[in-house]
Amino acid sequence: MTDRDRAAGPRRRLRRLQRRLTLAYTLTTLVGVSVLSWLVIHTDGRSWRNAEFDEMLRHAAVSTSLIYYTDAGVQLDGLRDDESTRGRHQVFVLLSRTRIGTPAKGVADGAGKDMTGSTAAGRATASTRPTGAAGPRPVGAAGPAGPGGLDRVFTSGSRSVPVPDERIAALARTAMDEDVTVREEVPAGDRTAYAVARPFYHDETQETTGAVVVIGDPGLRMAEHTRLTYAVLTGSGLLTLLAAFTGHLLSGRSLRPAWQALEAQERLLADAAHELRTPVAIMRSSMDVAGTDPRNLPTHLPRIRRATDRLTDVVENVLTRGRLQDSAASFSPVPLRLDQLVEDACGELPPGRLTLTLRLDESVVDADPALTRVAVRNLLDNALRHGRTPGDPHGGAEIDVSVRGHTVSVADRGPGVAAEELPELTERFRSRGGGSGIGLSLVREIAAAHGGTLTARPRPGGGAAFLLALGPAGQARHARAGTS
């Protein structure tokens, strides 16, 4: 299994976690929006229903107030000219035949129509129906025939809602018997209609003599409710899609630290594998050669020692990079004598053909001592490795180290480097010499953590000068907090 395959596992798990978080956020929003949409639609439907019933109750109340009695019988002439009977609702007036012995006088066409299935011809002894009025016709039953029969004496408009006569009579009978206003939803063919029945009374005896039944078609007013339903459902769908998109973004942002930690771990492993490969190979080859002829062991010991030193430097650099990629808790800037730290680092250089010039001004910076020491040591190691003086048969190096303010300068007499080449040299695993390139890249990261920079410029007389500039006091904490 390759490193790429091993890294793909955590990445797949993070992507799967992001999808699950997005799904959970979307489902939570969907449930909430669905409940809210149901409440809105249900409340609006109930409001339209109540408004329709309230209007029908008002028409029924007005209609009953327009019915009155004289010596000639019940009078309905006020119903013909009133707006309550000329609207979109159907108004029926049903009169009890047994409680008042005379049918209506002056009723509309179709008056005297029997709602019980028996005629009223033999009972209307005092009938004074207008000329040309139709006689009673049986149309259905509402309870037992005979006593308690109902005549429909008034009908407004056309029968646009096909409510059966038996149902209208049953509503009227319930309102009369219980002396209450009845409101119900009744079947009307393949749909449902609203019905309101209100009793009316004789002016002198106050006895219940009939009822007004108002039939309404809910479809005429429910169109607004239907449009609202479509609007709410469409808005809910769009809101759910927006929630899914937002959830994906938020889950990605919440997992960003995990992605960064995974990438940092991969970089750390790659650095370790790349850096450890060379010194380990040198040690192994030296030991293999020395094993074939133990007498040559002293010859190979210096090479093994140099490989061990290189291995130590690699481990320290890798651990330092791990610290930089860790949380801000591992970064501890304190007031530091930069000139003394540089002097101590120069004192650790290996003896040899080395010309070292120090120009150290007293300087106090706010920096992490361990990280700063690694940065200075890497600059010195880079100067020793690549800054050999050209033409020197012994391969000696001339290094000039200076500290001025918050800047450390390390100059050599090597081939030199242009300022525009520095970004390439500070990339990991990019080096023009025999190194790995991790040294300068680590110096650049340490400088950035301190709010500073790493720059390079040509040295007068040949060579290159690398300048490590650390941020002023207090800048390191702010820089680190901004990159954590």
Side-chain angles (χ1 to χ4, degrees), residues 59-68 79 198-201 210-212:
H59 288 181
V62 172
S63 299
T64 55
S65 67
L66 295 176
I67 300 174
Y68 62 96
L79 295 176
R198 180 184 175 94
F200 60 87
Y201 311 94
V212 174

Side-chain angles (χ1 to χ4, degrees), residues 25 245-255:
Y25 188 84
F245 178 73
T246 304
H248 183 74
L249 292 181
L250 292 179
S251 60
R253 176 167 295 184
S254 64
L255 291 176

Side-chain angles (χ1 to χ4, degrees), residues 8 38 60 109 168-169 181-183 186 224 244 250 261 269 302 341 435-436 440 442 447 460 477 480:
W38 180 85
D109 292 342
I168 297 176
T181 299
V182 179
R183 46 183 285 178
V186 296
E224 291 290 338
L250 292 179
L269 293 176
L341 185 143
S436 64
L440 290 181
L442 187 57
R477 292 186 176 90
R480 186 60 179 173

Side-chain angles (χ1 to χ4, degrees), residues 174-200:
T174 301
M176 294 171 60
D177 292 343
E178 300 181 5
D179 196 18
V180 294
T181 299
V182 179
R183 46 183 285 178
E184 291 184 3
E185 295 183 9
V186 296
D190 57 349
R191 53 181 171 166
T192 301
Y194 294 158
V196 171
R198 180 184 175 94
F200 60 87

